[in-house]
């Protein structure tokens, strides 16, 4: 069960309009605004996949993958 | 051998409603207004019998919206109104022109402006039917003179609407709408049904100009052809555009489909025109008086004739220009201050006179005859 | 459950490019996300859905989604939708309107669609302002709020959209907000499954034309206000009137069964001697 190197959060910056909703709404403070103005997963290990960020992103720029999905893609047991 | 059908006594409005049913109309939305209401009343009884839809909407704006919606779902649809309601419909008539959605709008004309004279006829909406909605747009308007023509021209209105994917306006004046005549109901006539797309959905562009000026068929909603319809200037797929070439293409194509088919759309009646040097240009109920006035003039030895635009828009300008050189004068009697007179002047500057009447009464044969006498002496 | 971006990819028109037209932080995108999640949870195919919109920021939704889509004139979405639904009752008809669209210029059509109880799903995105035309006050702009045409504050009492449509006869009425994005799609799903006229009011932030002018902070601040002031409807009813400040009820507010318009019309067809399919 090695999923540490698989980041569950993907930010598609060409759709992102930097509104800042995701960084504030994340209950685990996983996201932060980077130096380029776009959000990035500063603490992906804290992500609980609650889906607050992707459901509230007005621009559909955040993709979350459930851990089992990440696992399925990453390895076949 | 022609079998003669039984004659029935019908009102103009009723004949219009019957013609619509014969043309395959199965959706009517309207709002009560004199003098058009009989059309809605008749259809509210008849449409349910054939599983058609009748709905009385909250106003004329919504009636027009509903018939466009029904047409997009694949049903031939119609509304009927009079001047004040026609004013309210202009917004969505423009939408139907722009989005190229076939439908028929009947306007039984009463005296205007504003509430005007609800129970008195007029021909005051000729120009509104041409330029009532904003922007450059195409229009087809037909004008019956009799109860029989209320029937046949309604059928034709649907045929033109389907063929050219455009709203068609039927301008019935209050006299013709409320007139009763014995007519033999036509049995055999052409009915144009909605053409189906010949290409698979992934190749379908609802606003594509096909070679040879052919018009792309309108796919009904729900049959696999998912596309976008908007009142905004759009590209061939129906999506809003501000690209100069596409904007021009969009506006030109809605206008050109009418302009390039004048021979097919324009219909006129000529009466004793061959040797005439005075031509009366009359339409609707006034054409009946005009015909009588021409007969009176002929008895006096005046070479009078009549040209009756059955298609009012596009206006039969070339027909007038063809005969203008041999006419001393055009006499244009109308139940307004000269709306068609202005169009006649464009074809024949300086050679037209008008006979106007706006008191809610028909222009009489005598009035027209005395004008013919005056210009021929 | 499918997540928003996956649902968007599934229902986004292949020839329409994102990013979309709405301003940064605009709530309409969140509402559109909720709508596609709700649709994803039905059995409906893209061909069976007609999406009708009006004019304004909300009107642009119809451009992006891969259904049979119709972008009508201002306020008239429900009139076109009525024609479509009657002509082909097999289609699922969804109208998306803004607050000005649905309750000002289209107010007459809204109340009559409610009264008829015709099976149309109306989604009203209420952002308290006319955004696209530049921030003029709408029928839902709160009293004293500023707008480009209310420079000294609005003096008109705003509509409570849910109360309005309930009074007019809508048989399913729900209110959600962009903060409650997941609740919003659950409401929309229930509205889609409801037979009769349904209204879902989605309160959405307009951070640019409304928020900035009224110093309401960031988009997230505006959503936080939704969170802080929304009360689930049973709890809301228990608040004594003198303790009510800016709170508003969210949730399903009306859900009743009443004979639907097309069913009633079918009875007329039978009475007239026609064949009901």
């Amino acid at each position: 069960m090695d999923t540490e190197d698989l980041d569950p959060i993907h930010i598609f910056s060409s759709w992102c309009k930097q509104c800042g909703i995701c960084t504030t709404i994340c209950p685990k403070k996983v996201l932060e605004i980077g130096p380029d103005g776009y959000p990035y997963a500063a603490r992906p290990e804290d992500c609980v996949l609650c889906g607050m960020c992707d459901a509230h992103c007005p621009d559909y720029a955040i993709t979350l993958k459930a851990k089992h999905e990440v696992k399925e893609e990453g390895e076949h047991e | 051998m022609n079998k003669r059908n039984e004659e029935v006594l019908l009102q103009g409005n009723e004949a219009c409603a019957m013609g619509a049913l014969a043309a395959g109309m199965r959706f009517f939305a309207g709002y009560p207004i004199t003098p058009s209401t009989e059309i809605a009343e008749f259809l509210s009884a008849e449409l349910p019998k054939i599983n058609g839809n009748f709905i009385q909407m909250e106003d004329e704006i919504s009636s027009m919206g509903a018939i466009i919606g029904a047409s997009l779902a694949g049903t031939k649809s119609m509304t009927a109104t009079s001047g004040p309601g026609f004013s309210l419909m202009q917004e969505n008539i423009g939408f139907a022109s722009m989005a190229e959605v076939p439908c028929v709008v009947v306007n039984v004309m009463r005296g205007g402006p504003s509430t005007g004279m609800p129970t008195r006829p007029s021909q005051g909406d000729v120009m509104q039917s041409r330029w009532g909605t904003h922007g450059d747009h195409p229009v087809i308007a037909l004008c019956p003179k009799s109860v029989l023509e209320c029937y046949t021209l309604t059928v034709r209105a649907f045929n033109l609407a389907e063929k050219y994917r455009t709203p068609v306006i039927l301008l019935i004046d209050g006299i013709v709408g409320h007139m009763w005549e014995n007519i033999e109901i036509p049995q055999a006539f052409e009915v144009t049904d909605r053409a189906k797309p010949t290409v698979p959905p992934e190749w379908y562009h609802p606003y594509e100009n096909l070679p040879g000026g052919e018009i792309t068929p309108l796919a009904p909603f729900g049959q696999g052809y998912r596309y976008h319809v908007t009142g905004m200037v759009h590209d061939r797929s129906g999506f809003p555009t501000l690209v100069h070439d596409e904007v021009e293409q969009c506006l030109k194509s809605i206008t050109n489909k009418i302009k390039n088919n004048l021979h097919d759309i324009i219909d006129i009646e000529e009466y004793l025109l061959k040797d005439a040097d005075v031509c009366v240009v009359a339409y609707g109920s006034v054409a009946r008086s005009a015909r009588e006035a021409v007969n009176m003039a002929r008895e006096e030895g005046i070479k009078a004739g009549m040209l009756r635009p059955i298609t009012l828009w596009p206006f039969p300008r070339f027909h007038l220009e063809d005969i203008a050189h041999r006419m001393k004068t055009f006499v244009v009697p109308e139940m307004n201050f000269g709306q068609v007179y202005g169009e006649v002047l464009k074809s024949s500057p300086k050679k037209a006179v008008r006979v106007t009447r706006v008191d809610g009464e028909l222009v009489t044969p005598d009035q027209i005859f005395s004008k013919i006498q005056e210009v021929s002496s | 459950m499918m997540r928003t971006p996956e649902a968007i990819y599934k229902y986004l028109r292949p020839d329409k490019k994102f990013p979309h037209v709405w301003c940064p932080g605009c709530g309409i995108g969140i509402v559109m996300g909720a709508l596609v999640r709700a649709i994803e949870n039905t059995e409906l195919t893209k061909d069976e859905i007609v999406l009708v919109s009006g004019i304004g920021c909300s009107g642009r939704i119809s451009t992006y989604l891969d259904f049979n889509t119709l972008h009508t004139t201002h306020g008239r979405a429900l009139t076109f939708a009525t024609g479509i639904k009657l002509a082909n009752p097999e289609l699922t008809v969804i109208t998306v309107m803004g607050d000005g669209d649905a309750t000002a210029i289209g107010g007459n059509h809204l109340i009559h669609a409610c009264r008829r109880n015709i099976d149309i799903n109306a989604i009203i995105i209420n952002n308290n302002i006319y955004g696209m035309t530049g921030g003029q006050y709408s029928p839902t702009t709160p009293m004293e709020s500023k707008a480009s045409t209310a420079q000294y504050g609005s003096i008109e009492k705003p509509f409570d959209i849910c109360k309005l449509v309930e009074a007019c006869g809508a048989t399913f009425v729900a209110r959600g907000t962009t903060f409650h994005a997941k609740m919003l799609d659950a409401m929309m799903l229930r509205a889609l499954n409801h037979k009769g006229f349904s209204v879902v009011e989605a309160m959405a932030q307009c951070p640019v034309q409304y928020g900035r002018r009224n110093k309401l902070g960031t988009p997230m601040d505006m959503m936080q206000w939704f969170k802080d002031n929304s009360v689930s409807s049973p709890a809301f009813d228990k608040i004594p009137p003198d303790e009510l400040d800016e709170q508003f009820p969210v949730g399903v507010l009306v859900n009743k069964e009443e004979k639907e318009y097309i069913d009633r019309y079918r009875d007329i067809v039978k009475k007239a001697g026609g064949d009901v399919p």
Side-chain angles (χ1 to χ4, degrees):
Chain A
M1 293 287 282
D2 179 22
T3 57
E4 277 167 39
D5 55 336
L6 294 167
D7 189 348
I9 307 165
H10 293 272
I11 291 163
F12 187 33
S13 57
S14 66
W15 285 13
C16 172
K17 292 180 187 150
Q18 309 173 1
C19 68
I21 289 176
C22 56
T23 51
T24 327
I25 209 160
C26 174
K28 293 288 181 185
K29 305 289 167 226
V30 171
L31 298 159
E32 270 180 26
I33 301 287
D36 59 354
Y38 291 101
Y40 74 104
R43 284 169 290 278
E45 65 281 7
D46 290 350
C47 175
V48 292
L49 294 160
C50 68
M52 287 295 271
C53 58
D54 72 341
H56 288 88
C57 173
D59 295 279
Y60 322 114
I62 304 176
T63 308
L64 278 184
K65 287 204 168 151
K67 278 187 175 136
H68 69 272
E69 290 175 61
V70 176
K71 194 181 77 182
E72 275 165 22
E73 278 177 24
E75 56 190 83
H76 296 278
E77 288 171 317
Chain B
M1 201 176 82
N2 284 336
K3 196 178 135 223
R4 208 173 150 69
N5 297 306
E6 214 177 314
E7 286 200 341
V8 283
L9 181 64
L10 282 183
Q11 194 202 40
N13 282 346
E14 263 178 22
C16 166
M18 289 172 73
L21 294 175
M25 185 275 290
R26 293 294 179 271
F27 185 96
F28 180 93
Y31 186 81
I33 187 167
T34 305
S36 77
T37 310
E38 291 86 359
I39 297 173
E41 288 171 346
F42 182 87
L43 290 171
S44 75
E46 295 304 313
L47 275 167
K49 291 182 189 169
I50 50 175
N51 200 23
N53 272 296
F54 172 90
I55 186 168
Q56 183 171 305
M57 295 296 286
E58 52 272 17
D59 55 25
E60 287 88 349
I61 300 169
S62 48
S63 303
M64 197 60 219
I67 69 165
I68 296 171
S71 184
L72 284 168
T75 306
K76 287 188 185 177
S77 59
M78 172 172 116
T79 185
T81 187
S82 186
F86 195 52
S87 293
L88 291 180
M89 287 178 183
Q90 294 304 330
E91 176 192 45
N92 285 335
I93 289 175
F95 184 95
S97 289
M98 180 60 130
E100 303 188 59
V101 184
C103 55
V104 172
V105 180
V106 180
N107 175 4
V108 187
M109 291 181 284
R110 70 192 217 184
S114 189
T115 311
M117 295 179 287
T119 58
R120 292 295 166 90
S122 97
Q123 295 178 320
D125 303 344
V126 173
M127 275 303 167
Q128 194 194 10
S129 64
R130 179 63 195 92
W131 294 115
T133 195
H134 57 281
D136 286 304
H137 57 276
V139 160
I140 298 177
L142 310 178
C143 184
K145 67 159 187 186
S146 65
V147 172
L148 178 63
E149 275 193 2
C150 283
Y151 188 101
T152 56
L153 288 188
T154 304
V155 174
R156 184 151 197 267
F158 277 97
N159 290 350
L160 291 170
E162 292 297 335
K163 185 170 181 184
Y164 294 106
R165 268 182 66 179
T166 189
V168 176
I169 293 158
L170 198 69
L171 279 181
I172 305 180
D173 60 63
I175 290 176
V176 175
H178 275 175
M179 186 162 62
W180 291 82
E181 284 183 300
N182 260 337
I183 70 161
E184 198 184 307
I185 296 193
Q187 296 297 313
F189 44 83
E190 188 196 339
V191 169
T192 308
D193 282 324
R194 181 96 37 111
K196 291 201 162 52
T198 51
V199 296
E202 58 273 24
W203 294 357
Y204 181 67
H205 298 290
Y207 299 97
E208 187 161 32
N209 284 319
L210 300 173
E214 209 185 312
I215 295 160
T216 300
L218 185 66
F221 275 175
Q223 297 193 1
Y225 292 83
R226 295 188 304 275
Y227 58 95
H228 188 58
V229 179
T230 176
M232 295 180 84
V233 173
H234 45 264
D235 62 18
R236 65 180 188 149
S237 304
F239 292 106
T241 180
L242 288 173
V243 177
H244 295 177
D245 291 352
E246 289 174 350
V247 169
E248 196 169 313
Q249 168 86 5
C250 168
L251 295 178
K252 274 189 175 163
S253 77
I254 59 172
T255 301
N256 286 350
K257 69 184 176 185
I258 306 299
K259 222 166 92 182
N260 296 341
N261 290 290
L262 296 180
H263 61 284
D264 182 42
I265 299 167
I266 292 178
D267 192 12
I268 59 156
E269 180 199 341
E270 293 185 1
Y271 181 62
L272 303 180
L273 260 189
K274 284 222 163 63
D275 63 336
D277 56 17
V278 175
C279 174
V280 183
V281 180
Y283 54 96
S285 61
V286 177
R288 300 166 78 108
S289 296
R291 193 183 174 97
E292 182 59 24
V294 166
N295 290 341
M296 289 157 81
R298 287 276 168 174
E299 276 172 30
E300 298 287 314
I302 303 169
K303 286 185 186 167
M306 177 178 73
L307 186 147
R308 174 170 74 97
I310 298 171
T311 308
L312 266 179
W313 301 113
F315 193 73
R317 186 170 165 181
F318 298 121
H319 291 79
L320 286 175
E321 282 172 3
D322 279 351
I323 57 170
H325 65 280
R326 56 188 172 90
M327 294 299 158
K328 282 195 287 197
T329 317
F330 287 98
V331 176
V332 191
E334 294 177 85
M335 287 192 282
N336 58 47
F337 280 140
Q339 298 189 13
V340 160
Y341 165 74
E343 290 305 301
V344 175
L345 276 184
K346 284 186 193 167
S347 315
S348 175
K350 296 176 194 166
K351 280 213 296 194
V353 294
R354 56 186 143 175
V355 182
T356 63
R357 189 150 191 187
V358 293
D359 61 352
E361 294 295 335
L362 181 61
V363 182
T364 62
D366 282 339
Q367 277 181 288
I368 303 168
F369 173 59
S370 30
K371 190 57 98 179
I372 296 173
Q373 273 186 316
E374 191 188 309
V375 297
S376 341
S377 59
Chain C
M1 198 189 81
M2 194 180 266
R3 293 190 175 276
T4 318
E6 280 91 338
I8 283 286
Y9 295 141
K10 179 173 173 188
Y11 292 103
L12 176 67
R13 278 207 155 100
D15 46 357
K16 280 291 126 188
K17 301 274 189 292
F18 273 34
H20 53 54
V21 70
W22 301 302
C23 304
C26 171
I28 296 175
I30 302 175
V31 179
M32 185 163 111
L35 177 62
V36 292
R37 289 196 304 273
I39 289 169
E40 174 58 23
N41 283 315
T42 65
E43 302 280 296
L44 297 165
T45 66
K46 291 177 181 178
D47 287 330
E48 289 167 328
I49 296 173
V50 183
L51 187 68
V52 187
S53 66
I55 294 291
C57 299
S58 66
R60 295 304 176 97
I61 283 187
S62 62
T63 324
Y64 294 118
L65 298 178
D66 190 15
F67 305 118
N68 305 282
T69 55
L70 175 58
H71 179 216
T72 67
T73 40
H74 198 17
R76 318 298 177 210
L78 283 169
T79 73
F80 287 67
T82 300
I84 294 166
K85 186 68 186 177
L86 285 173
N88 186 355
E90 302 299 312
L91 296 169
T92 294
V93 183
I94 303 168
T95 64
V96 181
M97 300 170 283
D99 44 309
D101 201 28
T103 67
I105 190 165
N108 198 27
H109 312 310
L110 177 67
I111 63 177
H112 289 278
C114 292
R115 182 176 66 82
R116 289 188 191 106
N117 192 32
I118 185 165
D119 190 14
I120 291 172
N121 308 283
I123 294 166
I124 303 176
I125 303 177
N126 179 6
N127 62 4
N128 311 97
I129 204 86
Y130 288 91
M132 192 160 277
T133 45
Q136 297 79 17
Y137 70 96
S138 87
T140 60
T141 302
M143 288 268 251
E144 294 171 27
S145 285
K146 288 191 175 152
S148 65
T149 48
Q151 304 268 347
Y152 306 101
S154 171
I155 52 168
E156 296 185 14
K157 200 174 161 182
F159 269 139
D160 179 327
I161 294 176
C162 289
K163 278 189 184 164
L164 172 71
V165 297
E166 180 185 358
C168 297
T171 47
F172 182 93
V173 182
R175 179 191 280 125
T177 81
T178 48
F179 181 83
H180 307 85
K182 293 180 181 180
M183 186 167 120
L184 203 53
D185 63 61
M187 283 172 191
M188 287 178 185
L189 180 60
R190 284 180 70 182
L192 284 168
N193 290 329
H194 174 81
K195 189 164 184 189
F197 191 72
S198 67
V199 177
V200 175
E201 177 188 355
M203 293 180 63
Q205 70 278 14
C206 170
V208 175
Q209 296 292 2
Y210 181 66
R212 200 147 68 190
R213 196 171 264 112
N214 289 287
K215 301 190 170 58
L216 300 177
T218 65
M220 190 57 223
D221 292 337
M222 294 178 79
M223 284 163 69
Q224 188 66 39
W225 187 90
F226 291 152
K227 184 194 177 195
D228 296 343
N229 288 283
S230 56
V231 184
S232 73
S233 64
F236 180 86
D237 295 338
K238 291 186 191 115
I239 304 175
D242 55 329
E243 286 174 28
L244 273 178
D245 184 25
E246 287 186 305
Q247 299 98 315
F248 56 89
V250 290
V252 175
L253 307 176
V254 177
N255 185 11
K256 55 187 177 187
E257 264 182 53
E258 254 173 48
K259 196 156 186 174
E260 191 268 337
Y261 181 86
I262 291 168
D263 285 344
R264 279 187 271 128
Y265 190 77
R266 284 183 175 140
D267 292 346
I268 292 295
V269 171
K270 273 184 219 153
K271 267 189 199 168
D275 289 327
V276 177

